[in-house]
Amino acid sequence: MDDERRDDWTQGPELSAQQAREEKRRREAADEASSVADGEDVETLRERRRLAQQDMLDRWIDGVLVEQRRSRRWKLFFRFLFAFLILASLSTTLYGLFVAPGATDVAGPHLGVVEVKGVIDGDSRASAERVIEGVQRAWEAPDAEAVVLHIDSPGGSPVQSQRIHDELMRLREQGDKPIIAVVEDIGASGAYYIASGADEIVAAPASLVGSIGVINAGFGFEEAIERLGVERRVFTAGENKAFLDPFSDISPQQRDFWQRVLATTHRQFIDDVKAGRGDRLADDERLFSGLIWTGEQALELGLVDKLGSIDTLARERLAKPRTRDYTPPLDPFERLTRRFGRVAAEWVGVPQAASPLRYQLAP
């Protein structure tokens, strides 16, 4: 680098304040001595030195200004990006609340579809509150020829499944409109609990149907923490309060008690399936063993009434096949919040389900 571009403020070894002052005086004395030797007066030397310092200061100020402009540009960029994300979220929300529900409007007779997708849980999109609201909308719609539950779920919460099943049975007793459950890929456990409340169940030949059983899964880590030298401290009032704690041993009496809880819940499941399906069920003890069947096998066992899909159902029942989705739309902000909460709960190990019992196909 040439001497004209040398910047003594930023280049060279790092000096203390005292050393810098001494180095400055040494250079000035050397420059004055050199100038006198060359025939240059001291005033000219001082003026040249002042101009050099001024030039150095100007270059430093220019660098500061450039850095400030660059910082302002990044701040503006992130502000515009944040504003864009806010506007996009608001637009999505408004579209979901006002535009999307009307986008599926159809004129004339149609099938009123309610989606039951994913795990059935109070905080999921297949919650009892949301499904029941959709069923009631389709039931009250004058042009809806039938209420169709479009099911693609491995099951989930016993309480949520029972609530939806009970509402379907209540509407069935009124007899004003048929309720049909259509199983897409899977309608197992709690999802089949819901389907059994419909007047009719339709499944594809390769659909998975059934799994009428109850599950509670966990782990036992009591020996693992002993090997690690970890002391478990749990304080309870009630000798059985922590009997499901994975870091504590479970006694035979507690195991028998919990098995009776599962058996009671299983009996409720069986009774409601029998009430919904009646004598259509085959006399086969395997039906309530927790096994899952293909749609073709389920037809032979009376678990479903016919093979088909939502498309074939619409063509059979309507001269002009038309469907309308009556499932309440999800608020994007609420969906994002629930997803964030679910991920956070998984990270800290907090149980996500309100009940440890599940009408759900085991993974």
Side-chain angles (χ1 to χ4, degrees):
M1 180 179 294
D2 56 26
D3 293 339
E4 294 181 357
R5 300 300 300 170
R6 179 176 178 82
D7 189 351
D8 292 333
W9 289 11
T10 60
Q11 299 177 10
E14 184 177 353
L15 303 175
S16 66
Q18 181 64 28
Q19 290 173 333
R21 285 192 294 268
E22 292 177 357
E23 177 68 17
K24 180 179 178 182
R25 285 195 295 267
R26 188 188 65 76
R27 287 187 179 183
E28 289 177 353
D31 289 344
E32 289 179 0
S34 176
S35 176
V36 171
D38 294 340
E40 186 179 14
D41 58 17
V42 176
E43 290 298 328
T44 302
L45 175 62
R46 290 177 178 174
E47 180 65 19
R48 183 160 56 83
R49 185 184 300 145
R50 187 187 67 80
L51 292 174
Q53 291 176 346
Q54 183 65 40
D55 179 66
M56 186 185 303
L57 182 62
D58 290 342
R59 283 190 282 117
W60 178 77
I61 292 175
D62 289 341
V64 172
L65 293 177
V66 169
E67 190 64 30
Q68 288 180 343
R69 286 194 294 269
R70 184 180 294 112
S71 177
R72 283 198 298 269
R73 284 197 295 267
W74 278 110
K75 286 181 180 179
L76 289 174
F77 170 76
F78 284 113
R79 286 174 182 173
F80 280 121
L81 178 62
F82 182 74
F84 172 77
L85 293 176
I86 293 294
L87 291 175
S89 300
L90 290 175
S91 301
T92 304
T93 302
L94 294 175
Y95 178 83
L97 292 177
F98 300 105
V99 180
T104 56
D105 288 351
V106 293
H110 60 270
L111 298 181
V113 178
V114 180
E115 299 288 346
V116 183
K117 290 191 175 182
V119 176
I120 301 164
D121 199 83
D123 290 330
S124 71
R125 58 178 178 172
S127 66
E129 180 179 1
R130 186 165 180 257
V131 173
I132 290 174
E133 181 181 347
V135 168
Q136 291 174 345
R137 287 182 180 183
W139 182 267
E140 295 169 359
D143 290 336
E145 296 293 318
V147 178
V148 177
L149 288 105
H150 192 204
I151 297 174
D152 193 358
S153 168
S157 164
V159 174
Q160 300 294 308
S161 303
Q162 287 173 345
R163 285 182 58 190
I164 300 172
H165 175 273
D166 292 346
E167 177 63 16
L168 297 180
M169 294 295 290
R170 185 186 71 82
L171 295 176
R172 273 178 61 177
E173 292 178 357
Q174 298 182 14
D176 295 337
K177 189 176 296 186
I179 301 175
I180 305 169
V182 178
V183 178
E184 192 71 19
D185 289 312
I186 183 170
S189 210
Y192 186 77
Y193 197 142
I194 293 173
S196 66
D199 295 293
E200 184 180 356
I201 302 177
V202 179
S207 298
L208 296 178
V209 181
S211 186
I212 302 174
V214 188
I215 185 172
N216 169 231
F219 297 93
F221 297 107
E222 61 273 11
E223 294 184 4
I225 62 174
E226 288 179 4
R227 292 178 181 177
L228 294 174
V230 178
E231 180 186 357
R232 176 70 167 163
R233 296 174 181 174
V234 179
F235 304 96
T236 63
E239 59 180 347
N240 294 309
K241 184 62 178 177
F243 80 96
L244 290 180
D245 177 37
F247 297 98
S248 302
D249 193 15
I250 183 170
S251 68
Q253 294 80 11
Q254 292 170 336
R255 189 182 302 275
D256 292 340
F257 166 78
W258 193 236
Q259 191 60 50
R260 288 196 298 272
V261 171
L262 296 177
T264 301
T265 311
H266 190 204
R267 178 184 51 77
Q268 296 170 1
F269 192 172
I270 295 172
D271 291 344
D272 285 342
V273 169
K274 288 182 176 180
R277 298 298 296 167
D279 57 6
R280 288 176 287 185
L281 292 172
D283 185 13
D284 193 325
E285 60 182 12
R286 298 176 301 166
L287 284 179
F288 309 113
S289 67
L291 289 175
I292 190 166
W293 319 86
T294 67
E296 187 175 356
Q297 293 170 320
L299 179 64
E300 299 176 357
L301 295 169
L303 293 171
V304 303
D305 297 289
K306 65 170 64 174
L307 300 179
S309 64
I310 194 169
D311 301 315
T312 60
L313 182 67
R315 286 193 292 268
E316 290 174 1
R317 289 188 165 266
L318 301 171
K320 185 176 181 181
R322 286 179 293 196
T323 62
R324 177 181 174 183
D325 189 357
Y326 284 88
T327 314
L330 283 174
D331 182 358
F333 288 115
E334 182 180 1
R335 181 169 50 195
L336 180 62
T337 302
R338 286 181 177 179
R339 183 172 299 177
F340 176 78
R342 188 173 292 112
V343 171
E346 290 177 355
W347 272 98
V348 300
V350 177
Q352 300 179 44
S355 171
L357 300 182
R358 309 294 283 174
Y359 292 150
Q360 187 169 335
L361 186 65

